Amino acid sequence: MFGVDSRQVALLIFLTSMVWTPYRAYSQADQLRMVFWDDQPNENLDILNEPWDGVFLLTSYASHATHKIDRSGRLRGFFLDSKREKVPGGSVLLGHYTLQPIPPYAEYGVAGEHSRHEGLDLFGDSINIAISPADSHGTNDTSRITARVYIPPLVTLDEPAFINLREIPYTPIRAGTIIRWNADTLNQNQVKIILEFDPESTQNEYIFKGRARRKTKSVRYIATNDTGLYTLSKEDLRGFPINSYINLSVARGVAIQLENRERKFLFYSYTVVACGVQLKNKN
């Protein structure tokens, strides 16, 4: 999977499938299983089975369901005991945000009024992370674990552009269609692109007049360098029915392990943007 030292590990994302609008969100556990893959994207990798003493995350998800992009942010985390159960565990600093326990759950987040835009200002910068575990008496341990990590900027999707016309309800794609996003020359990890055809989605039920469920779900994972440009090939579109509604996602991120002699923690961050497209021609 990934290394056990404190170096950055390749991490990136695939999430989202569609119903109508808005996009159907996967649970956090489902997201994690889809995020952490390298050479075998179809392998079910549940990173929570690793013996972490805590997991902390900074994530952002955006959809082009309308002309105005809808982007959310999330800063969360938790400490784990030897039984893999969430427990109160100390203090956590992510950038300028201090994560605190959220009662009645043993989960950590930003204190005060909940916002859908937590942590968005941390993307595109290097941030300091400091985790101070608690000892058996509940006081902060002196073994403070720190790291500094670069968080790639929020990914934006420039092409294919959103279309909302009665005669063209979905943005058309075909072999040769260009996917264009904001490149990040500092990002050492690859960008991940996912194409997903869900025969049970409302859109495909409508397009295929109730016969979509006879078709097979198709998912294509693509890894490419963060150059801001990728051209879909005929091979990329193999297995997708003509005229099918496809959920297209572009994502990038980073993960690091923080550790001392006694404990190890996982921090990961990702940004993903998704849009709905329709396959008009594979050639």
Side-chain angles (χ1 to χ4, degrees):
M1 214 155 106
F2 24 80
V4 293
D5 55 43
S6 297
R7 295 173 297 178
Q8 292 186 356
V9 269
L11 176 201
L12 264 357
I13 306 113
F14 303 121
L15 77 163
T16 75
S17 87
M18 295 286 297
V19 279
W20 193 246
T21 52
Y23 291 79
R24 175 174 64 84
Y26 282 99
S27 69
Q28 189 64 39
D30 287 337
Q31 292 177 28
L32 290 174
R33 293 185 182 98
M34 300 178 77
V35 166
F36 286 86
W37 65 264
D38 189 4
D39 296 324
Q40 301 296 326
N42 293 320
E43 185 178 354
N44 185 20
L45 300 176
D46 189 348
I47 64 166
L48 294 183
N49 287 332
E50 293 288 305
W52 306 113
D53 293 293
V55 177
F56 300 93
L57 59 98
L58 164 65
T59 64
S60 171
Y61 173 70
S63 69
H64 271 291
T66 65
H67 280 288
K68 184 178 180 180
I69 191 169
D70 180 22
R71 190 183 296 277
S72 63
R74 180 177 174 86
L75 271 169
R76 285 291 186 272
F78 45 84
F79 289 90
L80 295 169
D81 63 14
S82 59
K83 298 180 180 180
R84 317 302 301 146
E85 295 180 352
K86 297 179 182 180
V87 294
S91 64
V92 180
L93 182 69
L94 299 180
H96 60 86
Y97 291 92
T98 299
L99 302 192
Q100 299 179 1
I102 303 175
Y105 308 103
E107 184 172 302
Y108 280 64
V110 179
E113 185 178 353
H114 175 70
S115 170
R116 292 184 64 252
H117 308 292
E118 295 170 354
L120 293 182
D121 57 326
L122 299 181
F123 287 88
D125 200 0
S126 293
I127 68 169
N128 293 316
I129 302 173
I131 301 176
S132 298
D135 61 21
S136 58
H137 301 289
T139 57
N140 287 341
D141 197 330
T142 56
S143 57
R144 190 171 189 241
I145 305 173
T146 62
R148 187 168 177 83
V149 59
Y150 174 71
I151 309 295
L154 293 165
V155 65
T156 61
L157 186 62
D158 301 318
E159 292 185 55
F162 174 78
I163 292 179
N164 187 17
L165 302 174
R166 291 185 180 274
E167 61 271 23
I168 310 177
Y170 310 119
T171 302
I173 64 167
R174 54 182 54 83
T177 291
I178 293 175
I179 300 175
R180 193 186 305 273
W181 65 94
N182 57 325
D184 179 19
T185 58
L186 298 179
N187 179 27
Q188 299 180 2
N189 298 320
Q190 289 186 310
V191 164
K192 304 296 176 68
I193 299 170
I194 183 172
L195 303 171
E196 180 180 1
F197 163 70
D198 183 1
E200 297 185 5
S201 70
T202 305
Q203 297 93 330
N204 282 311
E205 282 290 315
Y206 175 78
I207 291 170
F208 295 103
K209 302 185 185 304
R211 297 189 297 273
R213 294 175 185 268
R214 302 177 186 176
K215 302 181 182 297
T216 303
K217 183 174 182 176
S218 298
V219 182
R220 178 80 71 243
Y221 300 90
I222 303 167
T224 186
N225 293 331
D226 198 348
T227 61
L229 184 69
Y230 183 82
T231 302
L232 289 175
S233 67
K234 187 175 181 179
E235 179 63 22
D236 291 331
L237 301 174
R238 179 174 55 83
F240 294 97
I242 295 296
N243 293 323
S244 62
Y245 180 91
I246 296 173
N247 188 54
L248 184 155
S249 300
V250 179
R252 62 185 170 210
V254 66
I256 63 169
Q257 178 173 298
L258 299 87
E259 63 181 329
N260 58 20
R261 293 181 178 179
E262 298 178 351
R263 309 187 187 193
K264 65 176 184 179
F265 299 90
L266 171 69
F267 168 79
Y268 70 90
S269 173
Y270 65 73
T271 166
V272 58
V273 62
C275 71
V277 296
Q278 186 175 23
L279 178 60
K280 302 304 293 184
N281 194 324
K282 296 182 183 180
N283 298 314

